[in-house]
Amino acid sequence: MQVLLYIAAFVAAVAFLILCISLAMTLGSLKRTLRSVSETMDGLTNQLEGITSETTELLHKTNALAEDIQQKAEKLNTVVDAVKGVGDSVSNLNSSVHRITNSITVEAEKNSDKIAQAVQWGNVAFGIIGKVKEMKEERSSGWTVYKADSKQKRLPSPKGSN
């Protein structure tokens, strides 16, 4: 029985040795894996620091752009108010012109008889002027008036010729 006990102890020792060797191999593989994970994490940390700095810079630029847009929007509101004022002024001018036009129309309608009478007097005056011109032409019908032609040469004067 002692032999059996020695064989059992030997088998247990060999099993413990195999267990230790496989445990050592597993721990070695785990060490390499953890080293690779650590290197990957270091790379990710560096990349995240770069992304964080770029994100911070982008956030500052975005804030500056938002402030600039806000200032320009306020200036644009001023321009819009000014344009609205110009529109109101044009509207007031249109209403004034409309009122003046209406008052002129009303006055013209009130004085339409006077205007018609003035037109008739004007027509009478033009008629009289036409008649006077006809009478003048009839009086001078026997006379012919000659005018000098600018292209024609003049004769020398009889008083003194060179």
Side-chain angles (χ1 to χ4, degrees):
M1 223 311 175
Q2 262 192 352
V3 172
L4 211 47
L5 194 59
Y6 285 124
I7 292 177
F10 180 70
V11 169
V14 169
F16 186 71
L17 178 67
I18 291 173
L19 179 68
C20 285
I21 290 173
S22 66
L23 189 60
M25 288 174 56
T26 303
L27 288 176
S29 174
L30 183 63
K31 182 179 177 182
R32 283 191 302 266
T33 302
L34 287 176
R35 184 175 296 134
S36 175
V37 167
S38 174
E39 289 171 358
T40 302
M41 291 301 287
D42 287 341
L44 283 175
T45 302
N46 289 338
Q47 288 179 355
L48 282 176
E49 286 175 3
I51 289 172
T52 302
S53 66
E54 287 180 12
T55 303
T56 304
E57 184 178 333
L58 184 61
L59 183 62
H60 289 305
K61 287 181 181 179
T62 303
N63 287 340
L65 185 60
E67 286 179 25
D68 186 43
I69 288 173
Q70 180 66 29
Q71 290 173 354
K72 288 181 180 174
E74 289 172 2
K75 289 179 183 177
L76 186 61
N77 285 341
T78 305
V79 170
V80 167
D81 291 340
V83 168
K84 183 178 180 269
V86 168
D88 291 343
S89 297
V90 168
S91 177
N92 290 340
L93 179 65
N94 282 342
S95 64
S96 296
V97 168
H98 187 55
R99 279 193 310 264
I100 290 170
T101 304
N102 284 341
S103 74
I104 289 172
T105 303
V106 167
E107 288 298 319
E109 287 175 0
K110 285 180 184 176
N111 297 325
S112 63
D113 293 337
K114 292 179 184 176
I115 292 172
Q117 195 174 29
V119 168
Q120 286 176 348
W121 279 110
N123 288 337
V124 168
F126 283 127
I128 291 172
I129 291 172
K131 292 283 185 184
V132 168
K133 283 185 180 180
E134 285 177 14
M135 287 173 52
K136 281 185 181 180
E137 288 175 4
E138 287 178 7
R139 286 186 199 158
S140 65
S141 62
W143 297 91
T144 305
V145 179
Y146 292 103
K147 291 186 180 179
D149 190 1
S150 60
K151 295 178 185 176
Q152 191 174 14
K153 291 185 179 180
R154 291 186 171 191
L155 293 174
S157 150
K159 290 185 180 179
S161 49
N162 295 351

